Amino acid sequence: MDEKLSKVDPKLLDLLVCPLGKGRLTLNRQTNELISESARLAYPIRDGIPIMLVSEARRIED
């Protein structure tokens, strides 16, 4: 994985919430996504920038 992709400012992560469920997000370093457990969505991180659009998020299946 490109090292640049996984670099997200930790302070930014503390401020971000899921735009759909308004819940906290956790960083999944393996998939390089921000995970919203409450909304069951995974938001991608591209070039170190979280893409916080529901239309860009991947639905988390059980």
Side-chain angles (χ1 to χ4, degrees):
M1 180 189 319
D2 183 5
E3 192 65 29
K4 181 172 74 170
L5 292 178
S6 62
K7 297 286 185 187
V8 177
D9 186 346
K11 292 177 185 176
L12 177 63
L13 292 178
D14 288 339
L15 297 174
L16 289 175
V17 296
C18 175
L20 185 65
K22 309 298 185 228
R24 289 189 59 114
L25 299 167
T26 57
L27 176 62
N28 182 326
R29 292 186 190 280
Q30 288 181 317
T31 61
N32 206 41
E33 296 172 317
L34 292 174
I35 307 297
S36 170
E37 293 293 337
S38 61
R40 307 289 296 153
L41 293 172
Y43 296 94
I45 300 171
R46 297 185 188 126
D47 296 322
I49 300 169
I51 309 300
M52 302 304 298
L53 300 171
V54 174
S55 62
E56 292 287 320
R58 176 178 63 82
R59 185 151 308 277
I60 298 172
E61 305 291 332
D62 283 334

